[in-house]
């Protein structure tokens, strides 16, 4: 089992829709989690950090479920500009991130 | 504030040739990472530096890959000789160990390597 797993998608959603991605992790020692956004042929950009139960930033909400070992990312009121690949990362050891393969989102007009 | 700087952005070489990538982290960030990213995959760690010390190089293929961060600021990653399977994007990231978001990593634009 891979350390961090994500549904690769693609998730095709209409503008204005709410979409959620899940990310599961295998190492229960992981303390911190991150969501990165990666546009095509660009570098990953940090979207949200999750250190406790969750985090919210505008239309984006991340939630952590330690019992089931998954984190989710919820995007409300999707915009065309939200189209990207969303990478989940866990920190199983201090200062070391393990990334999932990413989930591709396409927001359709 | 300037972000992580990497050069070159693109590199095309023939197999068995050497290649080097350069990275300058965000000012004040003492932790520097080199990652490899293949198409459709997430970044995979190659090596992590704390200042000038390589503290985690367990995933670095040491027969052909080497890295240095002599003064604890910028870093160079080298491949010699390159193989076809080394074609990928090489990403550099940095974080501020003493900062509030101490393990938040910020990535440079990457170097896209093509080995022919």
């Amino acid at each position: 089992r891979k350390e961090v797993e994500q549904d690769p998608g693609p998730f095709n959603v209409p503008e204005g829709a709410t979409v959620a991605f899940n990310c599961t992790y295998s190492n229960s020692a992981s303390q911190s989690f991150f969501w990165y956004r990666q546009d095509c042929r660009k570098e990953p950009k940090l979207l949200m950090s999750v250190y406790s139960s969750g985090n919210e930033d505008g239309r984006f909400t991340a939630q952590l479920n330690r019992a089931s070992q998954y984190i989710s990312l919820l995007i409300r009121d999707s915009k065309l500009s939200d189209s990207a690949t969303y990478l989940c990362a866990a920190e199983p050891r201090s200062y070391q991130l393990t990334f999932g393969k990413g989930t591709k989102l396409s927001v359709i007009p | 504030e300037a972000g992580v700087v990497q050069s070159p952005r693109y590199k095309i070489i023939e197999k068995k040739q050497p290649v080097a990538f350069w990275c300058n982290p965000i000012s004040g960030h003492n932790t520097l990472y080199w990652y490899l990213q293949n198409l459709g995959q997430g970044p995979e760690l190659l090596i992590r530096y704390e200042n000038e010390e390589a503290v985690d190089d367990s995933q670095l293929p040491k027969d052909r890959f080497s890295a240095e961060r002599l003064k604890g600021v910028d870093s160079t990653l080298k491949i010699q000789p390159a193989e076809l399977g080394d074609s990928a994007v090489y990403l550099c990231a940095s974080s501020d160990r003493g900062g509030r978001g101490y393990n938040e990593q910020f990535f440079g634009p990457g170097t896209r390597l093509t080995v022919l």
Side-chain angles (χ1 to χ4, degrees), chain A residues 2 31-32 34 36 38 40-46 48-49 51 87 91 93-102, chain B residues 9-10 33 35 37 40-43 45 48 50 56 91 95 97 100-110 112:
Chain A
K2 292 196 179 296
Q31 293 297 311
S32 304
F34 304 87
Y36 282 81
Q38 187 169 30
C40 187
R41 301 181 72 86
K42 299 286 189 181
E43 73 272 23
K45 291 189 185 297
L46 182 63
M48 298 186 76
S49 306
Y51 297 109
L87 295 166
E91 188 186 26
R93 290 163 288 280
S94 292
Y95 307 104
Q96 182 173 346
L97 295 188
T98 301
F99 287 84
K101 293 183 178 182
Chain B
R9 293 293 308 278
Y10 305 91
Y33 310 78
Y35 287 89
Q37 186 174 25
Q41 306 291 317
L45 182 69
R48 172 169 67 92
E50 293 293 340
D56 184 355
L91 293 162
S95 64
R97 188 186 178 101
R100 176 174 170 270
Y102 68 95
N103 53 1
E104 292 179 346
Q105 298 183 21
F106 298 90
F107 286 85
R112 186 172 297 273

Side-chain angles (χ1 to χ4, degrees), chain A residues 23-40:
Chain A
C23 166
T24 59
Y25 61 95
S26 61
N27 191 327
S28 58
S30 299
Q31 293 297 311
S32 304
F33 305 87
F34 304 87
W35 283 102
Y36 282 81
R37 171 199 169 117
Q38 187 169 30
D39 293 288
C40 187

